[in-house]
Each structure stands twice: as structure tokens, then as C-alpha cells.
Amino acid sequence: MSEWIEIGDLEDVPRRGARCVGVPGLRLAVFRTQQDQVFAIENRCPHRGGPLSEGIVHGASVTCPLHNWAFDLETGRAQGADAGEVRTFAVRIVAGRIQLALGELMRVAAE
Amino acid sequence: MKEKLVIIGNGMAPGRMLERLFETDPDRYQVVIFNAEPRVNYDRIMLSPVLSGEKQFEDIIIHGDAWYIEHGITLYKGCKVERIDRETRTVHSVNGISETYDRLVIATGSVPFIIPVPGKDLAGVVTYRDLDDVHAMMLAAKSRGRAVVIGGGLLGLEAAAGLNDQGMDVTVVHIMPTLMERQLDAAAGYLLAEAVKARGIKLMTSANTRQIVGETRVTGVELADGTILPADMVVMAVGIRPNAALARDAGLAVNRGIVVDAQMRTSDPAIYALGECVEVEGQVFGLVAPLYDMAGILAAGLLGEPAEFVPVATATRLKVTGINLYSAGDFAEGEDREEIVLRDATAGVYKRLVLEHDRIVGAVLYGDTGDGAWYFDMLRKGTDTRPFRDTVIFGQAYQGGTPLDPMAAVAALPDDAEICGCNGVCKGKITGAIAGKALSSLDAVRAHTKASASCGSCTHLVEQLLHLTLGDRYNPAAVQPICPCTGYGHDDVRRLIIAKALKSIPAIMQELEWRTSCGCAKCRPALNYYLLADWPGEYVDDSQSRFINERVHANIQKDGTYSVVPRMWGGVTSPRELRAIADVADRFAIPAIKVTGGQRIDLLGVKKQDLPAVWADLNAAGMVSGAAYAKGLRTVKTCVGSDWCRFGTQDSTGFGIRLERFMWGSWTPAKVKLAVSGCPRNCAEATCKDIGVICVESGYDIHFAGAAGLEIRGTELLCHAGSEDEAFEIVVALTQLYREQGRYLERIYKWAKRVGTGSIRAAVVEDRERRRHYFDRFAFSQRFAQIDPWQERVNGRDAHEFAALAEFGPPVAAQ
């Protein structure tokens, strides 16, 4: 993992909330939990394409606003009886700033 | 060519017969069914809960349309057969449809017995047999008039209880001195009569009906002693008799019922009969267990494996919520008979066992019926009770030196032991479904297997199987927890929020020992609402615990865009508002504009980032959020009332606007839609709303608890108000009561059904002081609620919601 790109301040994302990140060719959202863990996942529910960034964040999970599928933010896997997965992305916090791995983003966006 | 099997009748007996047939050989016959009722097969035993409002028709369907399609059955609904031509093996229906048969099954059931008194044909005299009868009764009950039920047997009492639940003034007229005398002895009949009277149902026993009085419609019932009971409806529930007319006309042997042998064959070898229409060895049958036995026998016969029907004792259970009654067998006194009786007056328990040569031949249980199945099992098997004669009356749990574990008894049953007689579900099917489908509640087992979903008498067995299969994971607590994060139900949480003065979501989770660190998408929105409703002005809304629509004050659409609905007070608008809407649609290229059912305009397809600017333009024209997304006050629909309409009795538009101006912004457990109609023609469709007002010459009829969505329900009349101010106060107080008692996402009609209209009326109609308190609490809460959420966001609140955290340009080609 070579290059990291800064996308904003940790404080810009509400606790138990999410923000979208605009990357051409990709729907991406960054989530922040109550405990200030940060996750980046594809902002698209595999069920009907719902924007997961608009869902309710609980623990390290999010529930899709359209039909209540819940996903583990860390693994991207659907929980409970539903089967499906969203792509997860590397993300880190450096001095209160959120950083994404640029190479991975470029690669996925180009797919 | 397959043999063609034609069935006349589509009740529970032929339905069960076909299930058995298809289980063994689904392709043996081409099946055609004629059903005089215009519907699929349903559980007739469960009509009483439908009448009382505890269940809907959908809940009692046994075979849905898909089942008939799946098995390639031709089902003629609403198609009554008028003639069987045995020469040509053809049945003819009144609709002109005819079908030939290779084999014919007659399952025409029974018809209600109509006592031959003058007036029996008057309008308003109904029977209690099928869904149409139930609908007729429910419709008549809307008037909340007086009903007389003739017949104090099982059917009559269930009808009386249902009509009483529907708000009618009910009198039961019974010819015998005690109720249900065929199933109960006098002592149990007395206890039953007391319980029935305690519900407000009047009883006239030893009462003989002389005639039914009325010109064209029923106005009353006259008894033999000259007493006249006023009545708007009379229900005849004195019994049933086999419906054998069709068979008789066809020349088949008929006595009381269609005569069949032990293999269900009639006097014509190509024709079979089963169910309530038949007579076997001089006996006719009305309870479901023997009918299901017949179904199995006939299915076997049709498959070429003849078996013999042997009538056995049957058990009866009264399906009236709150009255526990069980009877089985024969309990007449006799020389070689003994009895064991247990009475506990305080607990309202009466048990009586009748024994003959130390074997149980009859059992009557009142109050505590848990051991019914155990006694019945011994009755059928002829178990010798001598080894435990001293304690048999105390029940199964008291047997032997060591207390018998009821679980052990269930555990010992083989997998093919039948648990649910009504639906023919065996133990293996239930435990298989519990394990295979991860079921954890009684309701789930009922949904998947139908076990205990009919009469409910095997409920305890199904619960034991849940316990056996799941161990400690099965929690039969009657209270359904809010979600897996807690063991508390909604009502407990609401109570404890007040009692312990819990004023934040973390405080609730800490004090009530939530199992998760920060809840889930089910409990958090509920807790947020409860705190907002209970601590107005103190609790700060937690936007991260709201569903997206309430967080961004617009409705998310399937493509992730939003719809925007500005308020139009009472559905009244102006050129200025319409211009502003048109301009905003142009400016932001909003792709769709639609008029809603609530008399407003919906702008669809707005991009999320445009929302604040769209709202700013609408605000500038004086419009605020219509809260079309909220669990809160939505619309107040009105008609033009006395302002314009030649029929209008009051200013319905003005009253609707007054209500909306006062109530907008309030949060409620689920959405609340109001309407005000200016006259009983009801152009604002007030009688399917959460709260609806119908103006009349003398004032305002206040209705509530309607629904017109997933469920369709007409409203109930709450009360009449003489003035607009009084109506206003009642509507507001009613809403506040609902805000304080409702469970999150529970609509007004469900809340009303749960708590009872009587308690609501007592709180906001009859007690003016209490009404005023509710009104004042609502008014106080509005001080913090009537802030336009759009305006706040135009001014910068929650700006992070409407913009991306970061935007990147198009990808740069890799070097």
C-alpha cells in the first residue's frame, strides 16, 4: 500500500453516521461508529442498490434504509438471514484526518 | 387419461382429504371442485375470532389460491351445484357450468337449523355458518344496536361474545336451563353463565322463542311468556343439520344425513360423501376431529387402500378469549359410574371426571383446562386409573412418586404422533420446522406449520416442543421484546422511562441493561420517539437514531433521490404557492410532480444536495414541510363544507385548517392522518382515517381508528361534540393519549384495538378534566415541535447531510 489520500476530518463524519465520498465510477461512503472506529465501504446495498450511507449505524453495523438489510462494516457481509456482501476499502486515521488508499480506489474505479 | 375426481363443496373436510391424497399420489386424479362460497378453503372453526375482530380472514385461510394452482385443481368459486345426473355422471351448477366425473365426492356440509317461528324470514335475521354471515353480523354491529342470539350452545355463545366485542348490546336466549348443556354439566354451565354475564351479555335461560317481531325488518323477539326483547338483529344459532338435499334429489340413500359406510361410500359406488353432510351408523358429526378422520379414510379409499372409519369421542373447547372451558366424552350420571370433582371457587376452577369401571368416560374442565388433552388421551385409550386414582383430578403434573415432567411425556412421543388435530401436524414436522427454519416463537411455528393455529387446544404441546427443541433459548414470555437488544417490551420501556426518569438513549440502555452497546435500527428510533414524547423541551432529538426520511425531512425514493411535499393547510392552496412550486420544479429540473391522496403536491426525484435550496424557495413562498415522511401529523384532508357546498353543515375546511395549524410538527408513534367532512356524504373520506370528523347539523361526529392501507378498516365513532371548540379539544386530547400510550410504529387503529375503545372514551370524552390534561400536554409539547425543519436546514443545520465529504475528479490514467 503505497499512497494514502486525505478525504477530511474525523469530526466531519457524525458519530453513528456516514458521509459519501465522490469517486467517479464508484459509490463510496465512510462510516464512523460511536467508538470512533472508521470504515469505508461501497455505498450500494447488493439487494436493491440502497444507499447504505443513509442507514442507521449501530455498533459496527449499518442497516440499509430501503429494506432493512444489515451489514457488518468491517467485513462488508450481510447479517442475519440475508446473504450478500459489499466491497470494503482500506481506511485509516492519521492525526484526526481520514485517509483512503489511493491505489485501491483507482483500481476499483477503473474496473 | 387420469381419472376425474369431482368434489362438491370446498370446506375443511374435502380440503384435508385432498392434502392426504396429494401426499401419497399427487398425480392420480384430475380434481375439479365446486364451491358455493366465492372463496378458497378456510378454517371455519376460526370464524369466531374473525367476528370478535381478533383475526382477519387472511389469517384463517387454509389453502390459498396458489395451492389450487400448484396441484392443478380446477376450483369454481361461487358456483353452487343444483343437480347430479348419475346416469351420465355429470354435475350441473346454477351458473350453467357442468362437469362429468369418474368419481364424485359430496361434501356439502351442514345448514343452520332455522327454528320454524313466525318472522324467521325477516330482514335482520341471520345465521352463523360462513364468512358471509360473519360479514353480515359485523356490518350490523357497526350500528351498535341490540342483538338477540337464539341458542346458548358453542356457536351461539361465540357469536354473542363476538358481537359484544364489536360493541353491540347482546342478549342470549336459550331454551334449556343451563348453557351448553350438551357439553357441560350444570355446575360448569353455571360458571360459564357467570363469566358470560360478567362481560355484559344478558342471558335468558329456559326461554322459548314464540316469534320474531317486525314489519319488514326485525324489531324484537317475543318469548313464550310474552316478554319482548327489542332487537336490531337476531342470530339463529340453535344448531346445524346435514345438508343432504342434493344427494336426496339424486336418489341416494339419505336419512338424517347422506348414508355412507365405513369407507365413506354412498349407495352409488361412484359417489362418496364426507363431512357434516353424512351419517355413519346412525350418527352425524359436527366437530372437526371426526371429519378429519373421515378425510383420511376417504383419501385412502380413493388410493385403493381402504380403511375403516370408527367414530371416537371428541373434545370441545369454547373459543371465547378469557373463558377456559374444555369438555369431552359423556358425563351423564349412571349406576356404575363414579365421579371425582374438584372445585376452587376463588380461582374459578371446576373439574369433573366421570369414571366407569375406573376408566375415564367424561371430563369437564372449567378455568384450568391444561390437563384436557391428558384426560382425553386416557379416555380414548381406556386407561385404567386405579394406580393414580387419588391424584388424577389434580392433573398430570401430580402423578407418581416423583413429579412427572410434562416435558418428558412430550419428549417420549414418537415423531409421527399427531400434535395438532385441527391441521393434522405431527411432532416430527413441528420439531423439524423449529430446527430447520430456526423458529423461536409460537407465532412463528404457527405461521410455518399451522400447528395450534386453529382451535389452539394443543398450544401447550407446541410450546413444550419449542422448549424441548430450543432448551433455554425458548422464552415463552407473553411480552414481545422491542428487538433482540432487550428483553423488555414497548410498554415496559415506556413505563420505566417515566418511572426512572430516563432522559437519554444511553441512560435507557444502561438502566434497562441493553444487550448491545448502541442498540439497533429497530430499538433506537423507538427510544428516540418515546423520549421526545415523554420529555418535551428537555430531550434533544438524536438525528442518528432516526430513519433517513425523518433525518433529512424528505422521502427517499428507490433510486436514492427524494420527494418533497410542502404543507397545504387543509388542502387549500393559492396562485402564489402554485407559482412557487412550478418555479422550483423548473429551476431544479424536478422530473415529476404528482397530486397526493392527502390533497397536496409531491415533487419527486429531487437530488439530495438540492434539498436545502428547494426548501429555501418553498419557504420564501410561505410554505413549510408537509412532514410527508414523518411518524407524525401528516395531512388534514377536508371538503369545502358550508363555505361552498349546498349540503355542507359546518365549516369543515376552516376546522380542518385549525386542526392542522395547531397540530403540525407533532411526532406520534406512527403516522397520523386526519380528515374533516362537512356532511355525512363524507367527501373528505373521514371514515378511513386515523381520526376523522364528520360534521352534522347538530355538531361534530368524531370518528377514529380507521385505516386504508395494508388493512382496510372503517372508523369507529368515538363521540359526538356539540361545538367546534369541544371537537377540537377532543381530537387533540385523543392524539396526545395515543402519543403517550402507542407503541412505536403502532397505528391508531391497532392501539385502539389493544387498549379498547372504552378506556379511550373514558379518558378523553367522559372525563373532561382528564381530557383537558391531555390537551394541555399536547399544547406544551408543540412549543418545541413547531419549528419548520426545512427552515432550520436552509439555515445550515445538519449541512453534512447534504454534501459529500470529498469529491474526486475523473480517474487519471495510470502512468
Side-chain angles (χ1 to χ4, degrees), chain A residues 5 7-8 12-17 19-24 30 51 53-59 63 65-66 98 106, chain B residues 518-521 524-525 542 544-548 551 556-558 562 608 800 803-812:
Chain A
I5 181 165
I7 53 166
D12 293 338
V13 184
R15 281 203 176 107
R16 297 172 300 152
R19 297 287 300 275
C20 297
V21 178
V23 180
V30 174
S53 59
E54 317 283 46
I56 289 182
V57 178
H58 44 98
T63 296
L66 292 196
I98 304 169
M106 303 273 287
Chain B
C518 86
C520 71
R524 286 232 312 271
D542 175 17
Q544 297 308 128
S545 292
R546 286 205 180 259
F547 290 119
I548 181 65
R551 199 160 77 222
I556 194 165
Q557 304 297 314
K558 64 177 209 178
Y562 288 81
K608 196 180 183 194
H800 64 83
L805 179 62
E807 295 274 4
F808 295 100
V812 184

Side-chain angles (χ1 to χ4, degrees), chain B residues 299-319:
Chain B
L302 288 169
L303 291 163
E305 301 152 359
E308 293 222 338
F309 173 72
V310 183
V312 293
T314 51
T316 308
R317 187 178 282 266
L318 184 72
K319 287 171 299 302

Side-chain angles (χ1 to χ4, degrees), chain B residues 700-749:
Chain B
Y700 303 79
D701 281 346
I702 301 175
H703 292 253
F704 83 124
L710 283 172
E711 281 192 63
I712 311 273
R713 294 178 76 96
T715 47
E716 287 182 46
L717 179 63
L718 181 70
C719 64
H720 176 84
S723 69
E724 189 184 294
D725 285 346
E726 190 188 358
F728 181 71
E729 193 174 285
I730 291 169
V731 169
V732 171
L734 171 64
T735 308
Q736 179 64 17
L737 185 66
Y738 166 57
R739 294 182 75 228
E740 293 179 17
Q741 291 185 346
R743 297 174 183 164
Y744 190 62
L745 301 184
E746 179 180 57
R747 291 288 292 268
I748 284 190
Y749 72 96

